[in-house]
């Protein structure tokens, strides 16, 4: 009989009301510089991401959710918090992104991206 071992399950982090800050640290001086902040809602959904540079905010993304619980819009703002673009999504029957529409701040359709999911055979 072959012994069977089971992998331990890694506990999931509770993302409700969570804020994750990512810091870059200068290896010489040890100075910390804020790099990225991700904020989650009371329901545990990602609602905002902000990317920083040494001079301040580079960009900010805000996520809005539809009644089905999926991201319905992703709004992208510049370093001065001005809306630059926004994205709308369609999903397939498995809940994965099917189509992404990107619009200018004034609502002009800029791009359409289609997602294709292909399962690879393990060759066995």
């Amino acid at each position: 009989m072959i012994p069977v071992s089971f992998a331990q399950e890694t506990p999931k982090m509770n993302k409700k009301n969570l804020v994750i800050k990512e810091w870059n640290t200068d290896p010489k001086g040890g100075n910390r510089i804020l790099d990225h902040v991700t904020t989650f809602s009371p329901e545990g959904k990602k609602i905002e991401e902000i990317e920083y540079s040494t001079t301040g905010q580079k960009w900010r993304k805000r996520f809005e959710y539809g009644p089905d619980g999926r991201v319905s819009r992703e709004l992208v703002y510049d370093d001065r918090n001005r809306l630059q673009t926004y994205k709308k999504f369609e999903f397939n029957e498995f809940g994965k992104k099917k189509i992404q529409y990107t619009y200018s701040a004034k609502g002009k359709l800029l791009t359409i991206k289609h997602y294709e999911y292909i399962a690879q055979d393990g060759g066995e």
Side-chain angles (χ1 to χ4, degrees):
M1 182 173 186
I2 300 172
V4 177
S5 66
F6 294 96
Q8 291 181 345
E9 286 189 35
T10 305
K12 285 191 171 189
M13 181 182 299
N14 182 354
K15 294 181 180 177
K16 293 180 179 182
N17 291 317
L18 181 67
V19 175
I20 300 172
K21 292 185 176 184
E22 300 174 34
W23 298 85
N24 288 322
T25 305
D26 176 0
K28 295 178 184 167
N31 296 330
R32 290 183 356 146
I33 300 167
L34 186 59
D35 179 62
H36 199 94
V37 175
T38 305
T39 305
F40 294 85
S41 72
E43 296 80 30
K45 296 182 183 295
K46 182 171 25 175
I47 55 173
E48 187 173 72
E49 277 188 77
I50 305 173
E51 180 86 20
Y52 293 94
S53 69
T54 55
T55 58
Q57 179 180 309
K58 287 169 55 176
W59 55 260
R60 178 172 68 99
K61 288 183 187 176
R62 205 176 87 228
F63 302 89
E64 296 177 351
Y65 293 82
D68 60 2
R70 296 185 183 120
V71 174
S72 59
R73 290 196 332 158
E74 178 182 305
L75 299 100
V76 180
Y77 298 85
D78 67 10
D79 60 339
R80 294 184 178 169
N81 281 320
R82 292 180 300 208
L83 181 64
Q84 295 298 297
T85 61
Y86 64 93
K87 298 173 185 175
K88 290 184 175 182
F89 305 97
E90 288 182 24
F91 296 88
N92 66 21
E93 64 271 20
F94 303 108
K96 300 292 185 190
K97 287 180 187 174
K98 179 179 172 183
I99 303 174
Q100 170 186 298
Y101 302 93
T102 303
Y103 297 88
S104 71
K106 294 184 178 182
K108 179 183 176 191
L109 181 61
L110 301 173
T111 63
I112 300 172
K113 181 189 285 188
H114 294 265
Y115 291 82
E116 183 176 349
Y117 301 88
I118 302 169
Q120 299 292 324
D121 185 354
E124 293 181 34

